[in-house]
Amino acid sequence: MLTVNRINKTYNLERILKDITFTIQPGERFGIVGVNGSGKTTLLRIIIGDEQPDSGTVQFHPADLRVGYLPQGLAPGEDDTIESFLAARGSPGENIEGEFQAVSAQLAVDPDNPGLHERYDRLLEQLSRSVRSTGSQMDTLASLGLGSYTLDTPVSYLSGGQKTRLALASVLLSAPQLLLLDEPTNHLDIQMLEWLEEWLAGYNGAVLMVSHDRAFLDRTVNGIFRIDTRSREMKFYSGNYSAYLEQRLAEQEKAFGAYQEQQEEIQRLSGTARYIRSIGDFRKGGKSDVKAGTDGFSAGFFKDRSLETVRRAKAIEKRLDRLMGDDHIDKPKPDWEMKMEFGDTADTGRDVLILEDLAVGYERQPLLAHLNLILRYGQRCVLLGPNGCGKTTLIRTITGQLPPIHGRARLGANVNPGYMAQEQENIDPALNPYETIYRRTPLNETETRYFLSKYLFKEDEVFTPNASLSYGERARLTLACLVADGCNFLILDEPINHLDIPSRTQFEQALTGFDGTVLAVVHDRYFIDSFANELWQVKDGRIQQLFLE
C-alpha cells in the first residue's frame, strides 16, 4: 500500500531525517512518536508530496491509491462555507464516477484485460464508499461537534478547534484507503475522541498518524515508529503505545547495562596494564636487576620475563584502545526533553477562586448558569465537558476577558493568576522568545538564554520571531512565561495540545510539584489520571464538582 525507501531530508545543513525506510500494508495502523522538531510532520509532508526529500522514494500501491491527509493547521479560503470546503476536499464522488465510466467503456472494448477488471472493481468499491460517506456527512459533522451549524455557515465563523474538526470530517468523508493524520486529537473532547476511536476500529484501510495522545495511541495503533532525536533514524516497535514504552524502557536499561559493564572492564584492564608495567619497570631498574657477576641463566631469565611482561601490557593496552575507540559504547542519554520547574510561589488564602451565582455566555445567552463553586488552595482541578458547552467561555470570564451575564467570579487573597490561552494569542507575534522573557524578568542576557534552554530554545532559536514559531514552540514559550511571572494560580486552556509526549510527561511532573492551584481544561486521559484531584464536570448548563482520591 505504501513503501518509503531511504528518505533523507536536511534543512540548512541540519539533518532532519536519515534513511527512513518502512512499508504499510492494508489494515495496519502505525503511530509516529518523537520530540517536537524530530521530523514527524516533515515525513508526512514528504509522503503526501507537499515537500521533496533530498533523496529516497515514496511509492503508493496502486499508484492511484486514495490518500486522506489531515495537516496540523487549516487555511480555508476567505469565502469558504462548510459545504464548499467539504466539496473541495472531502468528496471524491465526481472524479471517481468519471473514471468509473471511462474504465467501463474500455472494458466493453477489451473485456479480457485483467488490469481493467482490477481497476473496475477498485473504482466500484471507492464509489460505493463515497456514496455511503456522502450519506453520513451530517452524522459525521454532528459526531465532531459541528451538528449545530448549517452547511452554508462560513468557515471563518468557526473557532480554531472547530476548523480542525471540520478538516478531520473532510478527511474521513473522502473515502480514503490510507489515512495520514497529523495530531488528529487536538481540540477533540473525550466524547469525540471515543467516537474517533470507534470509527477507526471499523475502518478497513491503513493509518499512519502523528499523535501525542497516549491513551488514543493505546486504543488505535498496532505499531509505533520512533524517530530518534540525535541520529534522526526511525525504529519500529510492535504493539500499542504502552507496549512500545515497555520495549523502550527495556532497551534503555539494556543499553545502560552494557555501558556500565564496559566502563567496569575499562577500569579493570587499565589497572591491570598499570600493574604489569610496574612489574616490568621494577625488574629493569629495581631490586630484581641482575647484578654483575651473576650467571648467564639468571640474566636471560629476568630479561625474558621483562619482555613477556611488556608484551602482556601492550596486548591489554591494545584491547583498551579498541574499547575506547571503535568498540566504545557512549553513555546512553535520555531524549532531549523540556525541563520545567516552578519556583516557590507566594501563599494565597484558603479560597483561591469563588464563583457566586455565576452565569456566562454571549449576548445574554448563558451557556453555563447558577454556578456556585469554590476552588481551594492546592487543588488540581480539571474542567471537563463536550466542546461548545462553555468551558473556554468560563475561563475567559474568570480571567476578565468576558463580562459575566449574572453573578461574579472573584479571586481570593494574594492570588497571582497565570493564563494559558487555547489559541496561544497571549504571545506577542512581534517579539521573539528572548525578548518575551527578558522584558518580564530581571534576568540578564546569559540568564535569559539559560532559562529558555530549559524549554528547548537553544542557541539562535531564542531570536526566532514568535510569529514563526510552531504550535509546540509557542506552547513551550507560554509555559516559560507562566514560570517567569511567578504565578500561584494557573488557568490552563488546553495546555498540552501541541506538546510532544516527553514534554507532556515533564509538564505533568512539574505540575505535581507546583506549590499552587491549577484549573485546567484538558482532554488527555493520561494527564487527567496522573494530575487531577478534582473534576468540574459540565452537564446540562451546570457544573458538578467531584473530588478524586
Side-chain angles (χ1 to χ4, degrees), residues 205-226:
V207 180
L208 180 64
M209 72 171 80
V210 173
S211 178
H212 301 311
D213 188 316
R214 295 153 288 185
F216 184 76
L217 287 171
D218 262 350
R219 290 166 170 82
T220 57
V221 304
N222 49 35
I224 295 287
F225 288 116
R226 174 182 176 271

Side-chain angles (χ1 to χ4, degrees), residues 364-536:
R364 311 301 297 176
Q365 296 295 319
L367 293 171
L368 298 171
H370 306 295
L371 304 182
N372 292 281
L373 298 165
I374 297 176
L375 187 62
R376 308 286 188 186
Y377 170 78
Q379 289 298 104
R380 299 189 296 276
C381 180
V382 167
L383 179 58
L384 286 175
N387 286 332
C389 70
K391 302 188 299 297
T392 295
T393 303
L394 175 59
I395 293 295
R396 289 176 175 169
T397 303
I398 292 170
T399 56
Q401 299 174 76
L402 286 176
I405 292 176
H406 185 269
R408 66 171 180 163
R410 62 183 178 89
L411 300 177
N414 202 30
V415 173
N416 178 22
Y419 171 53
M420 181 175 181
Q422 183 179 145
E423 298 298 322
Q424 304 167 335
E425 61 264 22
N426 52 354
I427 293 294
D428 188 342
L431 302 179
N432 58 45
Y434 174 81
E435 294 167 331
T436 300
I437 298 300
Y438 185 79
R439 293 187 181 190
R440 65 203 310 150
T441 67
L443 302 177
N444 61 32
E445 178 180 351
T446 300
E447 292 167 336
T448 300
R449 296 185 68 149
Y450 174 73
F451 179 83
L452 283 166
S453 72
K454 295 182 178 182
Y455 298 86
L456 310 188
F457 293 98
K458 56 182 180 177
E459 299 176 352
D460 289 342
E461 290 176 357
V462 301
F463 302 118
T464 302
N466 291 344
S468 300
L469 297 178
S470 69
Y471 293 110
E473 288 168 335
R474 288 200 294 269
R476 297 202 308 267
L477 181 56
T478 303
L479 295 177
C481 291
L482 295 181
V483 176
D485 291 342
C487 303
N488 55 20
F489 176 33
L490 302 182
I491 304 170
L492 312 174
D493 194 358
E494 302 280 13
I496 60 174
N497 261 359
H498 301 290
L499 295 181
D500 54 48
I501 291 176
S503 292
R504 289 186 182 206
T505 303
Q506 288 281 335
F507 188 41
E508 292 160 7
Q509 293 172 352
L511 281 183
T512 300
F514 174 56
D515 188 24
T517 309
V518 181
L519 175 63
V521 177
V522 66
H523 301 300
D524 185 300
R525 289 157 288 185
Y526 262 75
F527 181 91
I528 294 170
D529 290 342
S530 65
F531 158 77
N533 56 22
E534 181 176 344
L535 297 180
W536 284 7

Side-chain angles (χ1 to χ4, degrees), residues 151-172:
L151 291 176
D152 60 355
T153 301
V155 176
S156 59
Y157 286 8
L158 304 181
S159 68
Q162 289 170 329
K163 290 176 183 176
T164 298
R165 298 196 297 275
L166 177 62
L168 177 59
S170 74
V171 172
L172 301 185

Side-chain angles (χ1 to χ4, degrees), residues 113-183:
N113 188 321
L116 287 176
H117 278 284
E118 181 183 348
R119 176 82 173 134
Y120 178 91
D121 291 341
R122 189 162 60 249
L123 287 170
L124 183 62
E125 179 188 357
Q126 291 183 14
L127 189 59
S128 175
R129 291 180 63 190
S130 175
V131 171
R132 292 196 302 271
S133 295
T134 302
S136 63
Q137 186 178 80
M138 294 309 299
D139 290 339
T140 302
L141 290 173
S143 299
L144 289 168
L146 300 171
S148 61
Y149 294 97
T150 60
L151 291 176
D152 60 355
T153 301
V155 176
S156 59
Y157 286 8
L158 304 181
S159 68
Q162 289 170 329
K163 290 176 183 176
T164 298
R165 298 196 297 275
L166 177 62
L168 177 59
S170 74
V171 172
L172 301 185
L173 288 167
S174 67
Q177 297 164 294
L178 170 65
L179 274 174
L180 303 178
L181 306 175
D182 197 352
E183 299 196 30

